[in-house]
Amino acid sequence: MTTNIETAAERLRGAYTDGAPCAPVRDLITTVDDAYAVQDALTGTWLAAGRRLAGRKIGLTSRAVQEQLGVDSPDFGMLFADMAVPDGAEIPAGAVLQPRAEAEVALVLDRDLTHERHTAADVIRATAFALPAIEVVGSRVQDWDITLVDTVADNASSGMYVLGNRPVPLKDVDLRLCGMVMERRGEQVSTGNGAACLGHPLNAALWLADTLVRVGRPLRAGDTVLTGALGPVVPAAPGDVFEARVDGLGDVRVAFGKEEG
């Protein structure tokens, strides 16, 4: 199985470096534990190459998507510093394979979360502030032909992310009730609210904190946590401009560069 994990990691790494989607990896691995082993192998490769870990992303927080993939819990992936895009900036064409955009709540921590089991109060106390975010998910797997093990192995289908620039303390916003509207080139394409993210974005963050302690990679002060989509994910094409507004947190914007020629 170690050989299969290494082969799956190499297949996904090749898609990342070559800029061309690959076949799914479910022919090589079958369990979620194996998929996280692939993700961990890739994380080790990127850290050794000099990339800096800046936080985590939570995926599969929508009940509908969980049912689609036949699971009953979220998944997670790594956020590296070079995945962060400034608010309003343009992502070059091809930088994210098969990109899609979703609006989220981001939490930025100023305390470690290292208990075996955390409480909501622990997460609240550890959170410095919240920001609106657009996560640009992408898949190294051709045509988004993924099962749970494919997306977990592929770093939870991560791509890039954009954070708003106005930090908001948790005491100043109700994350469960905050409404979200996302527009693409001025047309409304996604709506939702905090309750769509496991009932509350803090529920997602709590799940992540406990899970990461169990796997030996706990959340640390300074980490950014993307807590999960507040509404439907939307395909992105060259030339698109997305703007998301989250009640109480403000707005965030990202553009997609046009292909040359």
Side-chain angles (χ1 to χ4, degrees):
M1 181 55 68
T2 300
T3 300
N4 283 0
I5 289 170
E6 293 171 350
T7 302
E10 183 58 34
R11 184 181 296 177
L12 291 167
R13 183 165 49 245
Y16 181 93
T17 55
D18 297 342
C22 64
V25 295
R26 56 183 177 270
D27 62 322
L28 298 167
I29 56 174
T30 57
T31 70
V32 176
D33 286 344
D34 290 340
Y36 277 117
V38 174
Q39 184 188 123
D40 200 51
L42 288 168
T43 298
T45 296
W46 302 138
L47 292 175
R51 298 178 74 184
R52 179 173 68 85
L53 196 60
R56 310 291 192 281
K57 60 154 287 182
I58 308 171
L60 305 182
T61 54
S62 161
R63 298 301 183 193
V65 176
Q66 287 182 7
E67 291 174 3
Q68 179 183 351
L69 292 181
V71 299
D72 58 4
S73 69
D75 67 354
F76 69 85
M78 304 295 164
L79 295 180
F80 294 95
D82 57 9
M83 294 165 57
V85 179
D87 187 11
E90 181 178 279
I91 295 175
V96 177
L97 293 179
Q98 308 176 108
R100 301 177 178 180
E102 57 189 35
E104 307 193 10
V105 171
L107 304 178
V108 179
L109 306 181
D110 66 359
R111 298 189 186 188
D112 297 349
L113 286 168
T114 57
H115 299 303
E116 182 177 349
R117 184 176 178 84
H118 297 87
T119 66
D122 292 328
V123 176
I124 292 169
R125 188 180 303 111
T127 300
F129 51 83
L131 296 168
I134 294 176
E135 182 184 1
V136 179
V137 294
S139 182
R140 268 59 63 178
V141 176
Q142 189 169 10
D143 300 324
W144 277 92
D145 178 15
I146 59 172
T147 63
L148 177 62
V149 296
D150 295 305
T151 185
V152 168
D154 189 22
N155 198 27
S157 301
S158 64
M160 293 184 171
Y161 65 99
V162 191
L163 302 177
N165 290 322
R166 186 174 67 89
V168 178
L170 292 186
K171 66 181 180 63
D172 293 339
V173 61
D174 186 337
L175 294 182
R176 184 178 72 86
L177 297 179
C178 63
M180 177 279 296
V181 174
M182 185 167 69
E183 296 177 348
R184 179 178 56 196
R185 289 181 285 184
E187 177 185 358
Q188 182 175 300
V189 290
S190 182
T191 62
N193 55 48
C197 180
L198 287 188
H200 196 299
L202 288 178
N203 293 343
L206 180 61
W207 171 86
L208 180 69
D210 288 352
T211 300
L212 289 177
V213 169
R214 287 197 296 271
V215 302
R217 288 186 181 273
L219 290 167
R220 299 293 186 183
D223 280 347
T224 295
V225 176
L226 298 182
T227 56
L230 303 181
V233 62
V234 181
D240 279 347
V241 178
F242 285 85
E243 183 171 1
R245 294 184 294 277
V246 181
D247 291 343
L249 295 182
D251 56 59
V252 58
R253 179 179 177 275
V254 67
F256 288 82
K258 295 182 179 180
E259 297 173 343
E260 296 182 1

